[in-house]
Amino acid sequence: MSTPIKMPNLGAETDEARVSSWLKAVGDSVMEGEVIAEIETEKANVDLEMPATGRLVEIRVQAGSDAKVGTVLALYDPA
C-alpha cells in the first residue's frame, strides 16, 4: 500500500507553495531524510525530505505547479 507525501505547512501565512523541482524520479529508491524536491514560497525555498525509506511510485504534482498545504504531492512504497 502506497503512502502519501503531502505539501507541508511552511509557515503561518503560507497556505500554498510551488514545487519548483523534483530531485528524484518515479522508481527511485530513497532514504529517510533524503531531499526529494524543492518547494518555493514567496519568502523562501525549502527542501522537501523523504519521510521514510522507500521507493517513489507516483508524482502527482509536477514541477512548476502550485499546491495547497496538505495536498498529496507524491506516493511512495515503504521499504
Side-chain angles (χ1 to χ4, degrees), residues 4-66:
I5 301 170
K6 296 181 180 181
M7 176 66 80
N9 185 342
L10 300 169
E13 297 179 17
T14 303
D15 63 346
E16 186 174 82
R18 174 168 295 190
V19 177
S20 56
S21 66
W22 283 98
L23 305 177
K24 298 293 178 179
V26 171
D28 286 353
S29 293
V30 286
M31 301 296 294
E32 181 177 358
E34 189 173 356
V35 177
I36 59 170
E38 296 174 334
I39 306 296
E40 180 183 334
T41 70
E42 290 182 10
K43 297 182 180 181
N45 291 332
V46 179
D47 290 338
L48 179 65
E49 294 181 358
M50 186 68 178
T53 298
R55 185 175 59 85
L56 196 60
V57 295
E58 182 180 347
I59 293 176
R60 290 191 174 177
V61 177
Q62 298 302 314
S65 298
D66 295 338

